Amino acid sequence: MAASLRCFLRSGKKAVSALGQREFHKSAPVAAQVTVRDALNQAMDEELERDERVFLMGEEVAQYDGAYKVSRGLWKKYGDKRIIDTPISEMGFAGIAVGAAMAGLRPICEFMTFNFSMQAIDQVINSAAKTCYMSAGLQAVPIVFRGPNGASAGVAAQHSQCFAAWYAHCPGLKVVSPWNSEDAKGLLKSAIRDDNPVVFLENELLYGVPFEMSEEAQSKDFTIPIGKAKVERAGTHVTLVSHSRYVGYCLDAAAVLTKEGIECEVINLRTIRPMDVESIEASLMKTNHLVTVEGGWPQFGVGAEICARIMEGPAFNYLDSPVTRVTGVDIPMPYAKILEDHSLPQIKDIIFSVKKTLNV
Amino acid sequence: MKTMLAIISNALCRMTGRNAGAQTVSEGARVVVSRSFADFTPQATFDIKKCDLHRLEEGPPLKAELTRDQGLQYYRTMQTVRRMELKADQLYKQKIIRGFCHLYDGQEACAAGIEASINPTDHLITAYRAHGYTYTRGVSIKEILAELTGRKGGVAKGKGGSMHMYAPHFYGGNGIVGAQVPLGAGIALACQYQGNDQLCVTLYGDGAANQGQLFESFNMAALWKLPCIFICENNKYGMGTSVERASASTDYYKRGDFIPGIRVDGMDVLCVREATKFAADHCRSGKGPIIMELQTYRYHGHSMSDPGVSYRTREEIQEVRTKSDPISMLKERMLSNNMASVEEFKEIDVDIRKQVEEAAQFATSDPEPPLEDLCNHIFCNNPPLEVRGTNPWSKLKSVSKT
């Protein structure tokens, strides 16, 4: 009797309410499993509701519910004025979005993938990023450019490029690269509320992945500050720095390495520009070893920048070995699965690199 | 003698179809006695050139009314732009202005005519030949010249230069050919979205008219019926390339295909004004975008580094100056209709010269922006941030005041 009662109670507040009083069914605010897609959707939904100047434009974002269903349900809720399907005219509609931002609106401009943003890159850099500076602060451009970035699965060379390094090179832009659902929601909300151009790099392969979202993260006012990295896992022997999908790979590698007595500290950059170098340095000063992990190409990339910054800063003297970069292979992305698999970092590559860095 | 002249003038008037009712005074006759304002014609109607139409049943009117006050105001605006640009030419040759400097002299009727027909709450964006519009949209001569000379008193605090000047409802000043056109369509989208009955005038040149992003903009503007007046300032040359060598079709007013278009005499401020009024009504009535091609001419080369005579003849330039100068045309019209006196125009000229001179004085004596300003305004409404200087020990500060 006691056991079954306890069982009943354990099954949640709902059950107790049903026993005790009659009241409306309320779902309790507890941590929930939310996919990255849904987290992004929530972020946009909440910001569209909060500020009527916010609107979304891009290919298939409205009636198709989004090429990757990220904007599912938004057109139905907000209509043609706030959710706008565009023709296939990246340069044109990116420019239109920037113009709208200059004239007082807060557009979210979706690129179906960031590969197509190359056609519009002049508008992102010359019209959006540089304008606040050129006008000495007279003209703000509160715009978010978002969409999937980097490799997907089997989409080959023209659809697999990572643009983190390209955009992060330019002053006047903020470049954000979330990993999990909390990152996705909190950072997208911050990006939309920011009065400056933000390039928001999502990852198509993460859209369907569920992550736990805390109670706090589910609230309508939950934001994550742009420019601050997060230590996802504490460690003592080596610091792994990554962004987007590869944060997950780093955690997986750490799980394997811990069995061998190697404790990895995993840092999720969250923001590429401005980069939170201080967090990396603080960690490095503790572990003395640094490995960067990214999906993009090695030359002039995110890892290259981290290396340079570490060399220029106080943490250099704490290095017991040179920084190691784990990156995508320096080739256009091939199609055949076996080749594609070997074009990107695998968990075993991270493990191998950590051991080499630690000289074990 | 005076009666004879008056008779001849009246006859000429009748022949040219001018307002025969007005008293006329031959420009050659010297006026000994100063005229009181009561002597001047307060308003006159002028014939203006018919506009070529594309996908339009009716176009702008064939007559334009001009009041004395309006005339003097348009004159003042155009003459100010003219003198300001010539001053910039001078300062550039003295190496006080550097980099790019694209001058607008010859095209004044476009800027003046457009501004005369839109509201200050409407929006305007143009390309790099922007000094005239910067002035008509409300920035002082002082702030324009000081921006050209790169001083802290410039409208963009010396950070922008010739091609990057901004003002409320004026979005520059854009250096990348054609990029301003989607921006302008976006500003029009914002007007429509906000339901404020405002429109956006989006200017581009005959060179930019072949940019792909224009056609993307035309498509979306037409699809969504954006309140955008696309205006092609056709000054016959894209840098050193004549329109015939650049465009398979030089009927720029037709290039919008499904968007109605008008081709306008861009040297006649009244023609520009009437056409823009027509276009504005079209947009504001929800009919969507419209294209205007203003046929105009620039006296200077493409920029200060282009003498402008390798791809066109001096004779051609001179012919335009003598036969179609926008300022002379307006002045001539007003004088021959007794709407103002030669002295009045002279007084305005003297006043403008003085203002431009004072502005140039300011622009040459104002200090350059302080070095502390170097990294400011990378972002708007942002907490201060640190910026790497040229070397790792150089840590600079960036603030953004709202």
Side-chain angles (χ1 to χ4, degrees), chain B residues 17-86:
Chain B
R18 293 263 178 82
N19 190 344
Q23 248 184 310
T24 56
V25 175
S26 163
E27 267 200 275
R30 284 213 292 151
V31 181
V32 179
V33 179
S34 70
R35 315 282 302 259
S36 73
F37 290 146
D39 291 332
F40 291 125
T41 314
Q43 182 169 308
T45 308
F46 295 97
D47 290 330
I48 51 177
K49 224 186 250 173
K50 184 173 192 290
C51 295
D52 294 318
L53 302 177
H54 171 68
R55 288 188 185 268
L56 284 166
E57 290 301 314
E58 285 167 357
L62 299 173
K63 290 189 196 291
E65 277 174 23
L66 180 71
T67 67
R68 196 183 112 80
D69 285 342
Q70 285 171 340
L72 291 173
Q73 191 205 326
Y74 303 160
Y75 179 85
R76 184 176 268 280
T77 300
M78 293 197 288
Q79 188 70 291
T80 303
V81 173
R82 172 71 56 95
R83 297 252 56 99
M84 183 179 73
E85 294 293 78
L86 293 178

Side-chain angles (χ1 to χ4, degrees), chain B residues 258-275:
Chain B
F258 35 77
I259 298 181
I262 2 175
R263 180 157 56 191
V264 181
D265 177 2
M267 302 306 268
D268 179 353
V269 65
L270 294 179
C271 215
V272 176
R273 186 190 73 183
E274 292 308 310

Side-chain angles (χ1 to χ4, degrees), chain A residues 24-101:
Chain A
F24 284 116
H25 170 92
K26 280 193 292 243
S27 36
V30 289
Q33 289 283 309
V34 181
T35 61
V36 171
R37 173 184 288 114
D38 290 341
L40 293 167
N41 188 284
Q42 271 175 40
M44 288 196 284
D45 192 352
E46 288 168 9
E47 295 306 298
L48 281 157
E49 195 176 286
R50 176 182 179 269
D51 188 338
E52 61 184 15
R53 298 169 298 173
V54 176
F55 71 98
L56 172 67
M57 70 189 293
E59 293 154 11
E60 310 299 347
V61 296
Q63 296 187 22
Y64 197 84
D65 270 336
Y68 300 99
K69 307 299 179 217
V70 177
S71 54
R72 177 168 40 212
L74 296 180
W75 175 67
K76 206 158 169 205
K77 184 171 175 186
Y78 295 100
D80 286 330
K81 179 179 166 180
R82 314 280 306 277
I83 314 291
I84 304 176
D85 274 337
T86 65
I88 307 174
S89 313
E90 274 76 7
M91 198 169 186
F93 73 69
I96 284 179
V98 174

Side-chain angles (χ1 to χ4, degrees), chain B residues 72-379:
Chain B
L72 291 173
Q73 191 205 326
Y74 303 160
Y75 179 85
R76 184 176 268 280
T77 300
M78 293 197 288
Q79 188 70 291
T80 303
V81 173
R82 172 71 56 95
R83 297 252 56 99
M84 183 179 73
E85 294 293 78
L86 293 178
K87 178 56 73 178
D89 170 285
Q90 199 179 62
L91 291 171
Y92 195 94
K93 286 172 175 151
Q94 294 174 295
K95 297 200 198 301
I96 301 171
I97 296 177
R98 27 188 292 281
F100 288 134
C101 192
H102 308 88
L103 296 177
Y104 197 67
D105 51 311
Q107 299 185 214
E108 297 87 353
C110 301
I114 291 169
E115 193 61 35
S117 48
I118 60 174
N119 304 321
T121 46
D122 287 324
H123 308 259
L124 190 141
I125 188 170
T126 185
Y128 48 76
R129 200 175 301 281
H131 308 157
Y133 290 101
T134 313
Y135 177 72
T136 55
R137 285 264 98 191
V139 181
S140 68
I141 312 167
K142 209 172 87 162
E143 280 187 295
I144 294 173
L145 290 181
E147 186 59 36
L148 292 177
T149 56
R151 307 302 164 98
K152 71 181 197 349
V155 64
K157 301 193 172 82
K159 295 298 239 335
S162 168
M163 302 181 289
H164 309 296
M165 303 199 221
Y166 302 81
H169 295 230
F170 175 60
Y171 304 83
N174 288 275
I176 307 296
V177 173
Q180 77 278 11
V181 177
L183 294 180
I187 295 162
L189 176 78
C191 294
Q192 186 190 66
Y193 188 106
Q194 292 163 331
N196 53 26
D197 205 36
Q198 293 164 7
L199 52 79
C200 184
V201 176
T202 302
L203 292 133
Y204 57 96
D206 49 277
N210 296 316
Q211 274 267 316
Q213 54 189 319
L214 259 71
F215 298 93
E216 297 187 13
S217 306
F218 291 162
N219 179 44
M220 285 182 272
L223 206 52
W224 301 331
K225 291 195 165 27
L226 301 181
C228 190
I229 306 175
F230 293 105
I231 302 187
C232 176
E233 283 180 293
N234 177 5
N235 60 18
K236 301 185 177 36
Y237 300 93
M239 201 155 150
T241 307
S242 68
V243 292
E244 297 80 34
R245 291 205 302 128
S247 304
S249 162
T250 55
D251 290 332
Y252 296 103
Y253 71 112
K254 289 186 186 171
R255 297 284 291 276
D257 188 7
F258 35 77
I259 298 181
I262 2 175
R263 180 157 56 191
V264 181
D265 177 2
M267 302 306 268
D268 179 353
V269 65
L270 294 179
C271 215
V272 176
R273 186 190 73 183
E274 292 308 310
T276 313
K277 260 194 210 155
F278 176 86
D281 287 340
H282 177 100
C283 284
R284 274 190 243 275
S285 63
K287 295 197 184 118
I290 188 167
I291 292 182
M292 278 169 54
E293 176 188 340
L294 301 179
Q295 294 190 302
T296 183
Y297 199 84
R298 54 165 161 82
Y299 295 142
H300 268 85
H302 163 72
S303 70
M304 287 305 297
S305 60
D306 169 27
V309 287
S310 62
Y311 48 87
R312 54 186 193 172
T313 61
R314 288 183 205 276
E315 288 74 44
E316 180 187 284
I317 306 169
Q318 198 48 37
E319 190 173 352
V320 177
R321 265 196 210 278
T322 41
K323 296 207 179 130
S324 321
D325 184 274
I327 301 173
S328 303
M329 282 209 324
L330 177 64
K331 184 175 172 184
E332 160 66 28
R333 266 176 167 156
M334 289 183 72
L335 285 176
S336 52
N337 281 271
N338 194 34
M339 295 177 82
S341 71
V342 174
E343 286 71 34
E344 261 187 300
F345 283 119
K346 271 212 181 72
E347 268 173 41
I348 296 175
D349 288 350
V350 166
D351 184 49
I352 291 172
R353 241 180 242 271
K354 180 162 155 280
Q355 280 185 46
V356 171
E357 197 50 53
E358 277 168 13
Q361 265 306 306
F362 174 76
T364 43
S365 60
D366 199 42
E368 287 187 287
L371 284 180
E372 295 77 61
D373 226 20
L374 179 67
C375 300
N376 288 345
H377 301 297
I378 295 176
F379 293 125

Side-chain angles (χ1 to χ4, degrees), chain A residues 17-328:
Chain A
S17 312
L19 271 181
Q21 324 116 350
R22 289 160 72 81
E23 59 178 46
F24 284 116
H25 170 92
K26 280 193 292 243
S27 36
V30 289
Q33 289 283 309
V34 181
T35 61
V36 171
R37 173 184 288 114
D38 290 341
L40 293 167
N41 188 284
Q42 271 175 40
M44 288 196 284
D45 192 352
E46 288 168 9
E47 295 306 298
L48 281 157
E49 195 176 286
R50 176 182 179 269
D51 188 338
E52 61 184 15
R53 298 169 298 173
V54 176
F55 71 98
L56 172 67
M57 70 189 293
E59 293 154 11
E60 310 299 347
V61 296
Q63 296 187 22
Y64 197 84
D65 270 336
Y68 300 99
K69 307 299 179 217
V70 177
S71 54
R72 177 168 40 212
L74 296 180
W75 175 67
K76 206 158 169 205
K77 184 171 175 186
Y78 295 100
D80 286 330
K81 179 179 166 180
R82 314 280 306 277
I83 314 291
I84 304 176
D85 274 337
T86 65
I88 307 174
S89 313
E90 274 76 7
M91 198 169 186
F93 73 69
I96 284 179
V98 174
M102 289 179 172
L105 299 183
R106 303 188 74 89
I108 305 168
C109 175
E110 178 178 303
F111 292 118
M112 199 182 277
T113 75
F114 265 94
N115 299 286
F116 315 138
S117 75
M118 266 202 288
Q119 300 191 296
I121 201 164
D122 175 66
Q123 296 290 358
V124 178
I125 307 301
N126 281 317
S127 301
K130 296 179 184 173
T131 294
C132 183
Y133 186 86
M134 291 193 294
S135 67
L138 287 175
Q139 181 64 69
V141 187
I143 189 169
V144 176
F145 298 100
R146 53 160 288 272
N149 174 63
S152 179
V155 294
Q158 293 180 342
H159 289 75
S160 305
Q161 189 169 332
C162 175
F163 287 86
W166 282 40
Y167 287 116
H169 186 59
C170 303
L173 281 183
K174 298 186 186 183
V175 180
V176 172
S177 184
W179 165 55
N180 62 16
S181 302
E182 231 178 72
D183 288 355
K185 185 173 172 194
L187 288 169
L188 185 52
K189 284 166 79 75
S190 290
I192 294 168
R193 295 183 192 192
D194 201 305
D195 286 339
N196 298 285
V198 180
V199 169
F200 193 87
L201 305 170
E202 300 163 6
N203 187 291
E204 198 235 309
L205 297 170
L206 287 175
Y207 281 154
V209 178
F211 290 93
E212 188 169 290
M213 276 185 84
S214 66
E215 221 177 285
E216 190 209 345
Q218 289 173 64
S219 98
K220 283 192 179 173
D221 285 302
F222 172 72
T223 57
I224 290 178
I226 293 176
K228 204 81 193 68
K230 182 179 180 209
V231 178
E232 297 286 350
R233 182 189 193 279
T236 46
H237 298 123
V238 61
T239 301
L240 298 178
V241 182
S242 185
H243 71 100
S244 187
R245 187 148 169 257
Y246 294 92
V247 175
Y249 280 44
C250 288
L251 290 169
D252 291 343
V256 173
L257 286 163
T258 189
K259 296 194 195 116
E260 298 180 46
I262 299 172
E263 291 306 321
C264 302
E265 180 145 295
V266 177
I267 297 181
N268 171 7
L269 277 176
R270 284 178 159 179
T271 302
I272 313 291
R273 179 178 185 119
M275 192 182 292
D276 182 3
V277 186
E278 287 78 28
S279 293
I280 306 175
E281 286 172 333
S283 173
L284 175 50
M285 293 200 256
K286 208 176 52 172
T287 65
N288 310 116
H289 299 88
L290 180 57
V291 176
T292 70
V293 184
E294 68 197 284
W297 294 318
Q299 300 198 35
F300 307 91
V302 176
E305 175 65 14
I306 293 173
C307 288
R309 297 275 271 267
I310 294 300
M311 287 225 287
E312 290 182 347
F316 172 70
N317 293 309
Y318 290 76
L319 278 171
D320 284 350
S321 64
V323 180
T324 298
R325 295 178 296 163
V326 178
T327 68

